Amino acid sequence: MLIEYKNVDIFQSDCHILHVDDFSVDEGEFVYIIGKVGSGKSSLLKTFYCEVDIPEETEMAIVLERDLKTIKRKEIPNLRKEMGIVFQDFQLLHNRNVYSNLAFVLKATGWKNKQEIENRIDEVLDEVGLEEKKYKMPHELSGGEQQRVVIARAMLNKPKIIIADEPTGNLDHETAEKIVAILRKISKSGTSVVMSTHNLAMINKYPGIVYKCKDGKIEEITSEFNDTSLSDEE
């Protein structure tokens, strides 16, 4: 298992947000986390890359073979190198073009050879269909194109897992569908994807494992999933 949680309580500023009885992600899985605003989706995702701490009294919280109950701060950067993170608000460097945004990440994670850096950037831009936008500035791109750059950035170091927090939240339906299609393709190549979303139509079109946050708890509802039972989440 890439992620395995058992009896985890998640807090933000001493406020209890979510109890996780049992949650796991295996290699190549595509996992959706749904639920209303404030139900704990983002807080859960943030625990995976240690932006939100895990209480020491937790039964089990393992991410990429690290015990999050006892992980040291100096070990967190190496954990994050093994995962890709896709933010809803992009978080691109607006004074750098697409190439420079991606090169910045590679250099920050230890890449030194200029040709290897260029080759890897070309590879990820090809995967998200942005080869011709390599030298565009972020403000010259549409929202969907910026989100594809963010996905390319998340893929740079060939992560074992991608964490995507509402990656389609600010996009129109057609663009959102393209983003989910790219993430689904990535999961089929072996990289697991965990994605929070309100977009239930996408779950119908691109099926995966579905967890729902509700009333301070999270449970798997894959077998129960259908439009009518969950339409109140839209």
Side-chain angles (χ1 to χ4, degrees), residues 1 10 37 46 50 59 62 65 75-76 79 84 87 94 103 108 111 125 145 148 167 185 187 195 200-201 204 227 231:
M1 291 292 176
I10 297 172
V37 174
K46 288 176 180 178
C50 300
E59 181 179 338
I62 305 294
E65 301 181 347
E75 298 169 344
I76 292 174
L79 168 65
F87 300 99
H94 293 286
W111 291 59
L125 289 179
E145 288 170 338
R148 280 190 277 163
K185 180 181 176 183
S187 73
M195 168 182 164
L200 304 186
N204 287 321
D227 283 338
S231 59

Side-chain angles (χ1 to χ4, degrees), residues 91-97 100-101 104 137-138 153:
Q91 296 193 16
L92 294 170
L93 301 171
H94 293 286
N95 61 341
R96 298 172 185 248
N97 63 26
S100 295
N101 264 274
F104 177 84
M137 300 295 287
R153 181 179 64 190

Side-chain angles (χ1 to χ4, degrees), residues 5-217:
Y5 277 28
K6 291 186 184 298
N7 289 322
V8 179
D9 285 295
I10 297 172
F11 295 84
Q12 290 258 38
S13 302
D14 296 326
C15 179
H16 185 266
I17 302 296
L18 189 69
H19 176 76
V20 183
D21 184 49
D22 191 19
F23 177 91
S24 63
V25 180
D26 209 346
E27 291 183 8
E29 288 185 337
F30 196 88
V31 178
Y32 292 101
I33 301 176
I34 66 171
K36 294 180 178 178
V37 174
S39 62
K41 302 187 302 299
S42 292
S43 295
L44 174 61
L45 296 185
K46 288 176 180 178
T47 65
F48 299 153
Y49 50 92
C50 300
E51 189 169 324
V52 172
D53 293 333
I54 293 291
E56 288 188 15
E57 58 270 22
T58 294
E59 181 179 338
M60 179 184 290
I62 305 294
V63 175
L64 300 178
E65 301 181 347
R66 276 86 161 183
D67 187 345
L68 299 192
K69 295 183 296 180
T70 57
I71 192 169
K72 295 180 172 58
R73 287 288 141 192
K74 65 181 181 181
E75 298 169 344
I76 292 174
N78 284 332
L79 168 65
R80 291 176 179 172
K81 284 180 186 178
E82 294 182 30
M83 58 175 64
I85 304 171
V86 177
F87 300 99
Q88 182 178 349
D89 57 355
F90 311 142
Q91 296 193 16
L92 294 170
L93 301 171
H94 293 286
N95 61 341
R96 298 172 185 248
N97 63 26
V98 170
Y99 177 88
S100 295
N101 264 274
L102 301 182
F104 177 84
V105 173
L106 288 175
K107 291 174 183 177
T109 52
W111 291 59
K112 292 181 171 57
N113 184 284
K114 186 176 180 180
Q115 190 60 55
E116 289 178 357
I117 288 172
E118 185 157 355
N119 290 344
R120 184 56 187 154
I121 290 173
D122 287 342
E123 288 172 1
V124 295
L125 289 179
D126 179 63
E127 288 192 58
V128 300
L130 287 178
E131 312 95 305
E132 297 178 0
K133 306 289 185 177
K134 187 175 178 179
Y135 297 111
K136 294 288 186 181
M137 300 295 287
H139 72 267
E140 297 178 295
L141 304 176
S142 68
E145 288 170 338
Q146 289 187 60
Q147 190 60 290
R148 280 190 277 163
V149 174
V150 174
I151 293 173
R153 181 179 64 190
M155 294 165 58
L156 282 169
N157 284 303
K158 299 180 180 179
K160 297 175 181 177
I161 189 166
I162 287 179
I163 310 297
D165 191 1
E166 294 280 2
T168 64
N170 294 326
L171 306 176
D172 62 76
H173 178 80
E174 183 179 350
T175 305
E177 188 169 309
K178 291 177 181 177
I179 295 301
V180 177
I182 290 170
L183 291 171
R184 196 74 179 86
K185 180 181 176 183
I186 291 169
S187 73
K188 288 182 177 179
S189 71
T191 298
S192 298
V193 175
V194 181
M195 168 182 164
S196 67
T197 186
H198 286 99
N199 197 329
L200 304 186
M202 292 301 169
I203 303 176
N204 287 321
K205 185 157 187 177
Y206 301 99
I209 298 167
V210 184
Y211 285 87
K212 183 178 182 181
C213 295
K214 185 177 181 180
D215 298 330
K217 297 179 181 179

